[in-house]
Amino acid sequence: MKPKRITEGMDVLVRKAGVKKIRFHDLRHTHASFLLRIGINPKAAAERLGMTPAMFNERYSHLLPTMQDEAVDRIEAELKKYSEKTLDPVDK
């Protein structure tokens, strides 16, 4: 299939859907962002996209800072739950 045909088909679908115009290749970036957002390991995400982990990290690392904040929050919540379970009632 010629790339031009994919582009033309994408244009038709975007028009029919009534959404903002996007390129077919934009779907790749959306997929990569989505994978990171739902917590898929970056190595697995890179493999899905046919990239090396280094290539993936270079391209998509800008998405990770907020995910780091979320990771810290989740770790703190888990540690808090654990500490509440293990503290002696007298220590509370």
Side-chain angles (χ1 to χ4, degrees):
M1 182 178 259
K2 294 182 179 181
K4 182 179 178 182
R5 297 289 179 231
I6 294 173
T7 300
E8 290 169 350
M10 180 74 175
D11 290 344
V12 169
L13 293 173
V14 167
R15 242 188 339 272
K16 283 184 177 182
V19 296
K20 179 182 164 196
K21 183 170 172 52
I22 59 172
R23 300 167 301 150
F24 185 75
H25 190 73
D26 295 334
L27 296 176
R28 177 182 174 88
H29 296 293
T30 300
H31 183 63
S33 302
F34 179 71
L35 292 173
L36 286 174
R37 187 76 181 126
I38 63 171
I40 300 300
N41 183 294
K43 183 179 183 304
E47 289 171 1
R48 288 184 60 85
L49 296 166
M51 304 172 90
T52 66
M55 290 166 56
F56 185 83
N57 289 337
E58 185 176 323
R59 170 78 55 170
Y60 296 104
S61 63
H62 67 281
L63 300 174
L64 296 174
T66 58
M67 293 179 190
Q68 289 294 344
D69 293 341
E70 291 170 13
V72 168
D73 293 344
R74 289 175 62 184
I75 291 166
E76 286 178 345
E78 287 300 311
L79 291 173
K80 183 177 179 187
K81 284 194 298 189
Y82 178 78
S83 69
E84 289 171 353
K85 287 181 186 177
T86 59
L87 284 178
D88 187 271
V90 177
D91 294 338
K92 286 186 178 180

